[in-house]
Amino acid sequence: MNSVNTKYNLSRLKRNKPLSLTEDWVFKHVFCNPFNLEILKFLLQAIHPQLVIKKIVLFPNEETVNFEDQKANRYDARGLINDHLMFNVEMQRSGSKVLQGIRIAFYASRLFSSQPIRGVDFSKLKPIWVLMIADFPFFDDPDQYFEDYSFVGSYNVKPLTEYIQLSIIEIDRAERLAKKPTEQLTALERWVVILKYAGDPSKRAWIRKIMELDEGCRKAVERMEAIPRETVEFMRQTDEMVHEMELMGQYFNGMKKGERKGRKEGRQEGLQQGILTNKIQLIRKKAAKGKTAEAIAEDLEEGTALIQKILQLMQRYSDFSDYQIAEYLIKNKRSENKTSSVLR
């Protein structure tokens, strides 16, 4: 019983902690709203002021794989600037310089090589830019917070190609910027502080000063602070369940194949149903407040089609509980999968 209570108390503590832009879902909520990419534009423009950004388009977070053994990358923010420059922004809360250096190089290579090339001249490929925001010590110099990387020669330091560029922003030691007068912070330095401390109550006065000076930083903080409480609760519960599924996957991978299959599938389906039930409960609350399917989809970063389907089920089966609607959706999805496998 004590272990159960401890787990419950830790869960409550996690859900009540201040919001942070370094949280994956919070970062995406603020910077990756497909209907309003103004804040993402402000951030990218601060990193490279010489890049005049007129248009940003976001792509799906998960790439399409080309063969069975290929793992699909899940990007935090992937898209196209001015119909010409492909970009990827990654928020990384932990790691090491060596491993994350490998990771960002891998993401860059996949982003570049994912472009269709058959029958196309190589000069038609789009250049790519991968940006990693590191919330851990990355640079040897504790006062360094930014670096650009490209292919340059060791002899004449001339670029081999300008088609691939990597950038690192380290925000872990952002507190060092407090020794500099706020009004003297560069645009990028202001973002370093905002990304690290936007939700930190102890840094509130500093954050407010930056918001007065910088429109983009102000809008980012305001969008984060406007996230409804029930959305925060739902997303953190979902994160806990997803984490539990990951741990469960590690556990079952250590068992014999025949022994683990049924138990793993049953446990995963139960957790998936729990996540979906929480989501339906939140959708019901938002719909009761008069929110449209489009507005709910934006709040929850979900597809409008799924929200509309759930709202239709709520009307059609008004006596169904949230759990029953989740069960209906999962069973219907399973049936669709079986049908498509037979057709293949």
Side-chain angles (χ1 to χ4, degrees), residues 230-264:
E230 64 266 23
T231 301
V232 177
E233 179 75 8
F234 163 73
M235 293 302 296
R236 287 186 170 165
Q237 282 181 354
T238 301
D239 280 349
E240 290 168 15
M241 289 183 176
V242 170
H243 180 61
E244 187 176 345
M245 289 180 72
E246 289 173 351
L247 292 177
M248 180 193 65
Q250 294 171 17
Y251 166 73
F252 280 110
N253 284 338
M255 297 171 61
K256 293 180 180 179
K257 185 174 181 180
E259 181 184 358
R260 72 188 179 210
K261 185 176 180 183
R263 291 171 62 184
K264 182 178 181 181

Side-chain angles (χ1 to χ4, degrees), residues 58-255:
L58 281 186
F59 298 154
N61 284 357
E62 186 162 1
E63 68 177 344
T64 303
V65 297
N66 299 318
F67 52 90
E68 186 177 348
D69 292 334
Q70 183 179 345
K71 179 183 177 183
N73 275 4
R74 285 194 63 83
Y75 302 91
D76 287 344
R78 177 178 65 141
L80 192 63
I81 296 173
N82 298 340
D83 296 322
H84 171 68
L85 176 63
M86 294 185 72
F87 74 91
N88 167 219
V89 181
E90 292 294 317
M91 171 62 75
Q92 194 66 28
R93 303 185 76 178
S94 61
S96 68
K97 178 178 180 178
V98 173
L99 290 179
Q100 295 309 322
I102 295 171
R103 185 172 185 267
I104 191 173
F106 178 74
Y107 270 62
S109 65
R110 285 288 282 269
L111 193 65
F112 193 59
S113 63
S114 67
Q115 300 179 60
I117 190 60
R118 179 175 291 181
V120 177
D121 190 292
F122 278 102
S123 64
K124 302 299 182 183
L125 287 172
K126 291 179 172 60
I128 64 109
W129 175 28
V130 178
L131 165 68
M132 184 174 74
I133 302 169
D135 191 15
F136 58 90
F138 187 89
F139 300 113
D140 295 331
D141 181 354
D143 290 319
Q144 183 179 0
Y145 59 88
F146 178 74
E147 182 75 274
D148 269 331
Y149 299 87
S150 58
F151 294 162
V152 296
S154 59
Y155 176 69
N156 56 19
V157 199
K158 289 185 178 180
L160 174 66
T161 174
E162 296 180 355
Y163 267 62
I164 297 178
Q165 182 175 355
L166 311 180
S167 301
I168 307 288
I169 298 178
E170 184 197 308
I171 64 173
D172 180 69
R173 293 172 283 198
E175 192 162 8
R176 288 175 174 269
L177 291 170
K179 61 187 178 184
K180 188 174 181 178
T182 305
E183 61 274 9
Q184 293 181 20
L185 294 174
T186 66
L188 182 51
E189 287 173 335
R190 293 194 291 266
W191 275 108
V192 168
V193 176
I194 291 296
L195 288 164
K196 178 65 177 178
Y197 295 124
D200 188 336
S202 68
K203 303 292 191 295
R204 189 172 181 83
W206 193 16
I207 295 301
R208 295 298 159 187
K209 284 183 182 179
I210 292 175
M211 291 172 67
E212 291 173 4
L213 296 169
D214 193 302
E215 181 187 6
C217 292
R218 174 179 60 78
K219 289 186 175 183
V221 176
E222 287 177 349
R223 184 179 290 181
M224 184 190 75
E225 292 179 339
I227 299 175
R229 186 176 183 83
E230 64 266 23
T231 301
V232 177
E233 179 75 8
F234 163 73
M235 293 302 296
R236 287 186 170 165
Q237 282 181 354
T238 301
D239 280 349
E240 290 168 15
M241 289 183 176
V242 170
H243 180 61
E244 187 176 345
M245 289 180 72
E246 289 173 351
L247 292 177
M248 180 193 65
Q250 294 171 17
Y251 166 73
F252 280 110
N253 284 338
M255 297 171 61

Side-chain angles (χ1 to χ4, degrees), residues 254-288:
M255 297 171 61
K256 293 180 180 179
K257 185 174 181 180
E259 181 184 358
R260 72 188 179 210
K261 185 176 180 183
R263 291 171 62 184
K264 182 178 181 181
E265 289 176 353
R267 180 76 171 144
Q268 278 185 332
E269 190 168 296
L271 283 167
Q272 288 168 351
Q273 190 157 334
I275 292 171
L276 187 55
T277 300
N278 282 345
K279 183 172 291 186
I280 292 167
Q281 182 182 40
L282 186 53
I283 291 168
R284 192 185 294 277
K285 288 180 180 179
K286 288 182 176 291

